[in-house]
Amino acid sequence: MLKKINKKSIELKLLILVIQEFFDALGNKHTYNIRKNWYSLFGILWGVPIPIVTIGIDLYANSLAFNISNIINVIFTHPIHFFFILHPVIFGIVFGAMGSVRHNKDREIDEFKKSLIGKNEELEKINKKLQELDELKSNFLRMVSHELRTPLTTILGYISFLKTQKSGTLTKSQLESLNLSEEEAVRLDKLIQELLDLTKIGTGTFKVNLQNTDIKQVVNRAIKSLQPLAEKKRIKLNNKLPDKLPPVLADKDKIFQVIANLINNGIKFNTPGGEVSISSEDSVDKKVNLCISDTGIGIERDKLDKIFDKFYQVDSAGKRKYGGCGLGLAISRNIVKLHMSSIWVKSDIGMGSKFFFELQKFNK
Ligand code: ADP
């Protein structure tokens, strides 16, 4: 009902606007300019046959010959002919006014087009500048990441060499210090890797190499690499994948990154004695579904769609106690997207979290 009233009132306003424009045009010089306004000439020509025909009919009806004196006679006998004689002028004015309205509209459209072109040029300039800045940022990030990563690899290499104790026996506290240094260096390495990935995603150079993949092997590798961290935090890792899982179409390393990140989060946002499980639920026809669940702190429902955004972390910067930089899930979502699939989560505060994603089965 409300819609109908609105539509009607809009139509009425439009009608009033058109009438107003018409009357405005009557006061416009352009309306009466036959040389510049072809509409008015057209109106006059359109109106000329009317008096000719009406007078002609009158002459014919009275069996009078077509000559000037008879025409004058007929006109004065039936003064209605004055009205018909005025028709070329009336038509000229009405059509001329329409020509003026059209002329005004064309001018307005031209002005609008010009302003649009101007705005477009401005936008193009801004866009170019933004692209340059983006490229600058990407180059900077790439350079910084590379310059940080090279020495870090060397540091990690020396730490693991020292830990072998081939260059001398280490005391218990020296070994503890080395382990701590290694942990921090690995954390830094992960952060740099995430920044590099983010840069690649931003520049569209983050690619996947999809091939026949045994997903169980990838999960086993992820569990093995995170077992020491889980043990340290007293979290149990459960591999609940069925014995047989069909091969999937995936990039082994990138999917490893997703699974490792989800398990790592399951450990990180958990309490001692908790569990992280990897299972495959409801595998549908052409897809294999993977679920990484934990018994941890859970995520508030209204935050669930935000955790996949870049740099988003549920615990705000001021009161952070878990570390990380909020990039893992954003990168995971991108990786899964490149596998033509999606990632989603079910969770609630204090109820643990379940992350799901699907992979296409490999077809020979
Ligand atoms: P990071 O772990 O480095 O902070 P992520 O992108 O992996 O970044 O995760 C984003 C945020 O989502 C985390 O900071 C955390 O608040 C929330 N989150 C992710 N996984 C879990 C989980 N398993 N349990 C509870 N919260 C989680």
Side-chain angles (χ1 to χ4, degrees):
M1 184 71 184
L2 196 71
K3 260 190 178 170
K4 267 188 186 168
I5 291 170
N6 278 343
K7 205 179 158 203
K8 274 201 172 154
S9 75
I10 288 169
E11 276 170 2
L12 191 73
K13 272 185 193 157
L14 272 176
L15 183 71
I16 293 171
L17 202 76
V18 170
I19 295 171
Q20 213 172 356
E21 276 181 357
F22 178 79
F23 280 106
D24 285 349
L26 289 180
N28 191 331
K29 268 197 248 162
H30 185 265
T31 302
Y32 310 97
N33 192 336
I34 299 172
R35 275 189 301 139
K36 286 193 181 163
N37 184 0
W38 290 97
Y39 276 72
S40 62
L41 185 64
F42 179 74
I44 292 169
L45 293 177
W46 192 252
V48 166
I50 294 171
I52 296 175
V53 171
T54 50
I55 291 169
I57 291 171
D58 211 346
L59 287 172
Y60 180 75
N62 292 301
S63 308
L64 296 170
F66 194 86
N67 57 39
I68 294 289
S69 71
N70 282 342
I71 290 172
I72 294 170
N73 195 12
V74 158
I75 291 172
F76 281 97
T77 322
H78 299 116
I80 185 80
H81 286 300
F82 284 109
F83 174 64
F84 292 125
I85 287 168
L86 278 177
H87 264 64
V89 181
I90 296 170
F91 275 35
I93 292 171
V94 170
F95 276 70
M98 278 157 60
S100 280
V101 171
R102 168 89 196 261
H103 181 71
N104 287 343
K105 288 273 173 271
D106 283 350
R107 214 183 44 219
E108 277 170 21
I109 290 171
D110 275 353
E111 275 165 17
F112 185 62
K113 265 191 207 160
K114 268 184 208 151
S115 83
L116 268 188
I117 290 170
K119 290 245 158 49
N120 203 22
E121 278 168 3
E122 244 172 71
L123 272 179
E124 265 172 21
K125 271 186 206 159
I126 294 171
N127 203 14
K128 209 170 158 218
K129 202 156 200 154
L130 279 177
Q131 271 174 0
E132 279 169 13
L133 281 174
D134 207 44
E135 209 164 299
L136 212 67
K137 185 198 80 184
S138 299
N139 285 343
F140 176 72
L141 262 177
R142 224 186 341 255
M143 191 268 287
V144 170
S145 307
H146 184 258
E147 289 306 305
L148 286 174
R149 214 155 186 213
T150 316
L152 201 58
T153 314
T154 316
I155 292 169
L156 275 165
Y158 276 114
I159 291 176
S160 72
F161 173 70
L162 286 174
K163 275 174 74 180
T164 61
Q165 309 204 24
K166 280 182 187 158
S167 60
T169 319
L170 297 170
T171 65
K172 200 176 163 225
S173 91
Q174 280 170 336
L175 205 60
E176 267 171 19
S177 304
L178 265 185
N179 280 337
L180 207 68
S181 310
E182 190 178 33
E183 249 174 53
E184 291 303 302
V186 167
R187 209 156 71 90
L188 194 57
D189 191 49
K190 183 173 175 275
L191 179 71
I192 295 167
Q193 179 61 50
E194 285 181 343
L195 283 174
L196 265 173
D197 286 348
L198 184 72
T199 316
K200 283 188 193 157
I201 288 167
T203 53
T205 50
F206 192 88
K207 299 267 180 317
V208 287
N209 176 20
L210 301 179
Q211 45 183 279
N212 183 357
T213 302
D214 179 350
I215 196 68
K216 273 199 89 168
Q217 258 181 24
V218 180
V219 170
N220 287 339
R221 209 177 108 211
I223 290 179
K224 201 173 160 205
S225 76
L226 286 157
Q227 195 64 49
L229 179 71
E231 274 166 20
K232 198 177 158 208
K233 299 226 169 170
R234 290 207 292 115
I235 306 288
K236 194 169 172 237
L237 298 185
N238 302 316
N239 185 346
K240 293 186 179 171
L241 288 183
D243 284 340
K244 281 211 164 202
L245 259 183
V248 293
L249 190 65
D251 181 316
K252 287 187 181 65
D253 292 334
K254 299 284 187 329
I255 280 300
F256 169 84
Q257 200 177 329
V258 174
I259 296 170
N261 180 50
L262 294 176
I263 299 177
N264 189 30
N265 279 349
I267 298 171
K268 187 161 68 168
F269 300 103
N270 217 325
T271 43
E275 293 187 11
V276 176
S277 306
I278 303 97
S279 56
S280 179
E281 296 178 351
D282 313 315
S283 284
V284 275
D285 255 4
K286 290 184 178 160
K287 289 180 177 171
V288 169
N289 170 303
L290 279 178
C291 170
I292 287 95
S293 61
D294 63 68
T295 55
I297 59 170
I299 306 158
E300 283 169 66
R301 281 179 182 220
D302 61 332
K303 307 272 165 61
L304 288 180
D305 53 340
K306 295 192 189 130
I307 57 169
F308 293 98
D309 292 347
K310 294 187 274 197
F311 298 111
Y312 184 83
Q313 293 179 305
V314 175
D315 53 336
S316 57
K319 41 187 174 124
R320 301 215 42 236
K321 53 176 183 176
Y322 294 105
C325 65
L327 282 176
L329 286 180
I331 293 166
S332 297
R333 182 170 63 173
N334 256 284
I335 294 176
V336 175
K337 209 166 150 192
L338 290 170
H339 284 75
M340 292 149 297
S341 195
S342 56
I343 182 166
W344 69 100
V345 59
K346 283 184 191 164
S347 183
D348 209 343
I349 207 83
M351 305 287 290
S353 308
K354 277 184 172 190
F355 285 84
F356 301 88
F357 68 92
E358 289 172 335
L359 293 170
Q360 317 265 347
K361 282 182 191 164
F362 178 79
N363 282 325
K364 280 172 231 163

